[in-house]
Amino acid sequence: MTERSIAYGTFVIERNFPVPPARVFAAWSDVKQKAKWFGAPDQDNTPSQFDFRVGGRESSRGDAGGASFTFDVLYQDIVPDQRIIYTYDMTMNGARISVSLASIELRPEGGGTRLLLTEHGAYLDGLDSNEQRKEGTIFLINQLEKYLALQDA
Amino acid sequence: MLERRYAAAPGCIFAAFADPTLKVRWFGAPAESRRDRSFDFRVGGREVANGYSPGGQIYGYRAVYREIVPDRRIIFTYDMTLGGRRLSISLATIDIEPQAGASLVRYAEQAVFLDGLDDPWRRRHGTAILLARLARLVEAKSLK
C-alpha cells in the first residue's frame, strides 16, 4: 500500500527580458513558440492538446530519466500581455506526483519585461518536491530566455 | 491549513464530499439562494455551485477534481467569481487520516486572490464554517 503524504510548497522566479511584454506573452500563448522552449531540449515538446483560453486545457507527455511523465493544464485566468494563471497536475509512470497553481505576471520595465512566476504546489506521496520543481522551472525559464534572445537576434 | 477531528469514519467523511445528495447538505449557498449546480466527482470532472450574493449578484464556484484516493484524499482546483469578475483561483487538498473510531481531516488551500476583490482571511473563515457544517452532518449520521 502506498504511504500517502502531501507536502506543500511555494516558489517565486523573477526574470527580466529585453523584449516587450507582448513578445513574452506570445511565447506562452502560441503553441509553436511554447514548444520551442517549454520542455526537454532534446525532444519534440508539442502538446497533444493546447487550448489557450480560460477553461481551456493543455496536455502533453514525455520521457525523462527512464520515466514517463504527463502534464495536464487548465487555464484559469488570462489577461493578454499581463497575466496567465493556470493549474496543472503531473503524473510519473501513472502515479500522480503533484497538483500546482501557477501565476505568470508580466510588467513592462524600461523597454523590456519583468516576469514574476509564482507557483504553489501539493507534492504527493514523496514522489516530488518543491525544491525539485523550482529547479525544473528555473531550467525552463532559462530556455525561455535563450529562445527570446535568439528570436531577437 | 485547517485541521479538525471528526467523530466519524474516513469513509463517512469521503462520502460527504463524493455523494451529491450528501454534499448539497453542507456545501455551498443556502438552498434559497442557489442557482446552477452540477457535480461530476472523478478525476478531470467538474463541479459548478453558483448562488446569489446578498446583493443579488451571482457568486460563481467552478471546480475541477484533480486527484482522488477513496476514503483518503481529494484534491481539486477551483475559481470563484462575483458578478462575472474572477475573485480567486485556488488549489485545495483534503487529507483524511484514519484514527481510532474517528478521522483527522486536514484541509489546506493555496490561492491567488485577484485585483483586491477578496482575501485569504475571509476565505479561511468561510471554509471553517463549511467544515463545521460538515461535522454536524457526518457526526449526526454516524450516530444512526
Side-chain angles (χ1 to χ4, degrees):
Chain A
M1 198 176 140
T2 313
E3 189 63 38
R4 300 293 181 183
S5 67
I6 306 176
Y8 303 94
T10 298
F11 63 84
V12 174
I13 299 171
E14 289 183 73
R15 193 67 62 91
N16 278 81
F17 301 107
V19 298
R23 291 274 304 282
V24 183
F25 185 82
W28 291 86
S29 60
D30 174 349
V31 65
K32 286 193 186 120
Q33 292 194 45
K34 194 177 177 187
K36 292 207 166 88
W37 64 272
F38 193 89
D42 51 353
Q43 62 187 31
D44 180 12
N45 296 305
T46 306
S48 58
Q49 186 184 5
F50 188 86
D51 185 11
F52 188 82
R53 57 180 166 165
V54 174
R57 298 191 185 212
E58 174 179 344
S59 291
S60 54
R61 51 179 62 242
D63 299 300
S68 70
F69 291 86
T70 63
F71 172 71
D72 283 282
V73 176
L74 174 63
Y75 287 102
Q76 305 271 3
D77 188 70
I78 296 171
V79 181
D81 303 344
Q82 290 179 45
R83 181 163 85 195
I84 305 166
I85 303 178
Y86 58 97
T87 52
Y88 72 94
D89 58 79
M90 289 188 73
T91 66
M92 178 175 70
N93 297 330
R96 196 161 287 102
I97 61 173
S98 65
V99 185
S100 304
L101 165 59
S103 68
I104 316 278
E105 292 166 88
L106 305 175
R107 290 174 196 154
E109 200 172 284
T113 303
R114 182 155 191 80
L115 174 144
L116 181 66
L117 182 153
T118 307
E119 197 166 306
H120 302 290
Y123 301 95
L124 307 176
D125 307 328
L127 298 171
D128 207 341
S129 69
N130 190 57
E131 291 67 33
Q132 277 187 54
R133 188 59 54 86
K134 182 177 182 180
E135 234 172 73
T137 308
I138 288 173
F139 175 81
L140 291 173
I141 297 301
N142 290 344
Q143 294 198 137
L144 171 60
E145 189 169 27
K146 279 184 214 143
Y147 168 72
L148 291 169
L150 278 174
Q151 207 193 17
D152 210 34
Chain B
M1 166 98 71
L2 295 166
E3 204 174 279
R4 190 176 174 121
R5 185 186 305 269
Y6 291 87
C12 193
I13 308 284
F14 185 82
F17 282 93
D19 178 339
T21 60
L22 289 175
K23 190 164 184 190
V24 77
R25 291 172 61 183
W26 65 274
F27 181 81
E32 64 278 10
S33 61
R34 275 180 199 151
R35 206 165 172 272
D36 317 304
R37 219 169 164 105
S38 71
F39 188 72
D40 183 12
F41 188 78
R42 57 181 165 163
V43 173
R46 294 183 186 241
E47 176 175 4
V48 174
N50 297 341
Y52 289 105
S53 73
Q57 286 183 299
I58 291 170
Y59 251 122
Y61 171 92
R62 286 184 312 178
V64 175
Y65 291 97
R66 310 301 284 253
E67 153 90 346
I68 295 170
V69 179
D71 299 349
R72 190 68 178 90
R73 180 156 81 199
I74 302 164
I75 302 182
F76 58 99
T77 53
Y78 74 91
D79 66 80
M80 291 205 70
T81 56
L82 178 60
R85 294 187 71 187
R86 197 162 292 109
L87 306 177
S88 65
I89 298 148
S90 302
L91 161 60
T93 65
I94 296 152
D95 181 64
I96 309 168
E97 193 185 301
Q99 295 199 327
S103 303
L104 183 65
V105 175
R106 293 186 192 89
Y107 180 99
E109 185 162 325
Q110 295 171 286
V112 176
F113 293 95
L114 301 174
D115 309 325
L117 298 171
D118 204 344
D119 67 69
W121 310 111
R122 278 170 57 174
R123 187 62 54 88
R124 190 187 168 91
H125 177 68
T127 305
I129 290 171
L130 287 174
L131 293 181
R133 287 170 64 179
L134 171 64
R136 282 198 292 276
L137 174 72
V138 297
E139 290 176 353
K141 195 168 168 268
S142 63
L143 291 176
K144 280 175 196 165

